[in-house]
Amino acid sequence: MRRLSDWHIAALLSLLGIAGPLLLPALVTQFAFLWLMIVFAVTWDMLGGRMGYNSFGNIVFFGIGCYAAAVIQRDMGLSYFEGLALGLAAGAALAVFAAALLGSALLGIRGHYFAIATLGLTVASGEIAAGWNYVGAGSGMALPLYPGALGEREHFFSYSLFAVAACCFLLCRWLYSTRFGLALNAIRDDHDKADAMGLRTTPIKIFTWCIAAFFLGLSGGLAANMIGFIDPRDVAFAGATFGVWMVLMAILGGKGTLWGPVLGAVVFHITQEIFWTYLLGWQRVALGALIVVIVVFFPQGIMGWWAEWRARREAA
């Protein structure tokens, strides 16, 4: 029954990703951002939920993807789609390289020390981008205009981000069903015992961060082109937006579960759009209140709350 339910949810999301932009053309951009939010939540959960390493540094890989695509499209003199393809490949490769390099230095740290170190990484990255003239410094960077017809741009990036989100989720689903997934859980449950059992914990952690970085770098190039502009503080290395939202979404849905990050991303994105539509001027206050509600009333996330509620109901 559980597997059947999983397939039903997957089929519904697939139908939404394929048919949604055609049936609801006014919401194409919102669909694109929904798939981006799912990538954020699922990739963060690979470390924060499955492995117990709460990272605030994942947004750096997204920023690398944004800037790598923008620089290649600006400097290489290629056509739009050739530059985009090369930029996406370069962004994903550079993000993986950065994850391997940073992971070898940071993933030996545990607990809140790791979280603080990654938070410092995002602050430093934002300041570097804001002061580096080659990437526009504080003025940001403008991306090339999409060459297609009016409205085609939004559909292209919606389907592209949907494909990235689907591949990311399916890869995670497969990985979590293998011995590699068990190794991740072993590191989360008791790192010292995992070491004693012979698991090569550091390479496993680095490899996991590299997978997350790959999809974040890929989605960064797509998102930058969709938005059309990169601001080093508000888009690429954000503190009060994407960088925090990816953590919040995974916690909201239930970190460490397969569908929790996806559910959290859907609920958060819909709630955010409602706030932006009906609470203009107060939307950030409402989002702050939402964070408090999540932490106080849903510490285990929606999936954890649902499991506890069903257990109490069956025991009654």
Side-chain angles (χ1 to χ4, degrees):
M1 241 353 242
R2 179 178 173 275
R3 287 186 177 181
L4 186 61
S5 178
D6 284 355
W7 281 112
H8 283 163
I9 297 171
L12 178 62
L13 287 174
S14 298
L15 180 63
L16 188 65
I18 296 170
L22 301 176
L23 299 176
L24 300 169
L27 300 178
V28 177
T29 301
Q30 283 73 17
F31 280 124
F33 274 103
L34 173 60
W35 311 130
L36 178 62
M37 295 298 173
I38 289 176
V39 172
F40 282 159
V42 171
T43 51
W44 185 89
D45 192 66
M46 294 182 72
L47 264 73
R50 291 284 170 170
M51 208 163 60
Y53 273 68
N54 297 316
S55 170
F56 291 101
N58 283 18
I59 194 64
V60 172
F61 308 129
F62 176 76
I64 289 172
C66 288
Y67 278 108
V71 168
I72 285 179
Q73 289 176 274
R74 180 192 66 185
D75 296 345
M76 295 298 291
L78 302 172
S79 68
Y80 181 85
F81 290 107
E82 289 176 343
L84 177 61
L86 183 59
L88 294 179
L94 287 173
V96 170
F97 175 77
L101 187 64
L102 294 170
S104 61
L106 296 180
L107 283 170
I109 309 172
R110 303 186 197 177
H112 55 276
Y113 296 106
F114 175 76
I116 293 171
T118 55
L119 180 60
L121 175 64
T122 63
V123 174
S125 300
E127 292 301 317
I128 291 172
W132 192 5
N133 290 327
Y134 182 68
V135 294
S139 300
M141 288 187 69
L143 277 293
L145 294 176
Y146 185 85
L150 186 65
E152 183 182 325
R153 169 178 167 272
E154 289 77 9
H155 283 79
F156 174 80
F157 288 110
S158 179
Y159 286 124
S160 298
L161 286 167
F162 171 69
V164 173
C167 291
C168 179
F169 176 81
L170 291 173
L171 177 62
C172 289
R173 181 188 176 94
W174 174 72
L175 282 175
Y176 297 158
S177 66
T178 65
R179 295 183 64 182
F180 184 81
L182 296 176
L184 296 182
N185 293 340
I187 293 172
R188 177 192 62 197
D189 295 338
D190 195 319
H191 194 290
D192 292 328
K193 284 186 179 179
D195 279 326
M197 291 174 61
L199 288 178
R200 300 180 62 194
T201 53
T202 299
I204 289 172
K205 290 183 288 186
I206 293 173
F207 180 70
T208 305
W209 217 13
C210 287
I211 295 174
F214 173 81
F215 287 105
L216 287 169
L218 202 59
S219 63
L222 291 170
N225 276 269
M226 179 179 67
I227 296 168
F229 182 77
I230 303 174
D231 186 297
R233 284 158 294 212
D234 294 335
V235 178
F237 302 103
T241 51
F242 295 151
V244 172
W245 292 352
M246 61 174 61
V247 183
L248 178 62
M249 290 184 293
I251 294 174
L252 171 61
K255 66 178 186 176
T257 62
L258 179 63
W259 284 103
V262 177
L263 177 61
V266 172
V267 172
F268 179 83
H269 184 61
I270 292 173
T271 304
Q272 178 187 230
E273 289 299 320
I274 292 173
F275 287 167
W276 251 250
T277 302
Y278 297 105
L279 298 175
L280 188 62
W282 291 87
Q283 67 271 18
R284 293 195 181 276
V285 177
L287 278 175
L290 176 63
I291 293 173
V292 174
V293 169
I294 291 170
V295 173
V296 173
F297 295 102
F298 298 97
Q300 301 300 320
I302 296 173
M303 297 290 287
W305 173 83
W306 177 253
E308 290 179 0
W309 181 82
R310 289 191 62 183
R312 288 196 302 268
R313 185 179 178 184
E314 292 174 359

